[in-house]
Amino acid sequence: PASLHSRFVPIPMNLLVVVFCIVLSQVLGAIWYGPLFGRLFLSLAYPGVPENAIKPSTSAFAASFFSWVACIPCLAMLIELTRAAKLPNAFAGLAWGLVVTTFDAVLNLNHAMWENRPVGLYLLRVGYHGLAFGVSGALIGYFI
């Protein structure tokens, strides 16, 4: 029987594209929750609290960054492992990004309902994740 070592198949991953997508996800989040939907987010996430009373959280920024550090390489591995599909690479990457977004949306809907959060806040979060996963998937699919 073959050893585990001989069965291991390394996944060639373009690390530069993965790192770029991690940073890009942060930039997209800064734009999404800043100039695009910042006021809407604050009004939904902190109803009744004045904007100037809400201070940015270093730990929230760090958690966001490390979440993307965990998610983007997994998305890249998924795209690489399923490369046998006959779809063009960027389109396949986009499709996988949207599949991951669907998982994210379904799991977060559960939390939104149990925490009695506004539907608009849920849609705002899922929209950002869909944008980041979709763009990252397309870039990874194209460049890997």
Side-chain angles (χ1 to χ4, degrees), residues 35-120:
L36 284 180
F37 301 111
R39 289 189 192 280
L40 176 61
F41 169 73
L42 292 175
S43 70
L44 292 170
Y46 304 99
V49 178
E51 265 186 59
N52 59 358
I54 302 167
K55 304 294 181 216
S57 166
T58 306
S59 59
F61 284 117
S64 174
F65 176 75
F66 287 112
S67 295
W68 289 111
V69 166
C71 289
I72 297 296
C74 291
L75 178 62
M77 286 188 282
L78 178 64
I79 292 167
E80 185 63 32
L81 286 169
T82 60
R83 224 175 163 152
K86 302 295 183 210
L87 297 170
N89 290 337
F91 182 72
L94 172 64
W96 276 114
L98 296 178
V99 166
V100 170
T101 300
T102 303
F103 291 140
D104 174 66
V106 170
L107 290 172
N108 278 303
L109 179 61
N110 183 37
H111 294 290
M113 295 298 106
W114 277 105
E115 295 166 2
N116 201 26
R117 293 290 195 158
V119 174

Side-chain angles (χ1 to χ4, degrees), residues 108-139:
N108 278 303
L109 179 61
N110 183 37
H111 294 290
M113 295 298 106
W114 277 105
E115 295 166 2
N116 201 26
R117 293 290 195 158
V119 174
L121 182 61
Y122 162 76
L123 294 173
L124 196 61
R125 289 178 175 159
V126 170
Y128 161 57
H129 294 164
L131 177 66
F133 278 129
V135 169
S136 295
L139 288 171

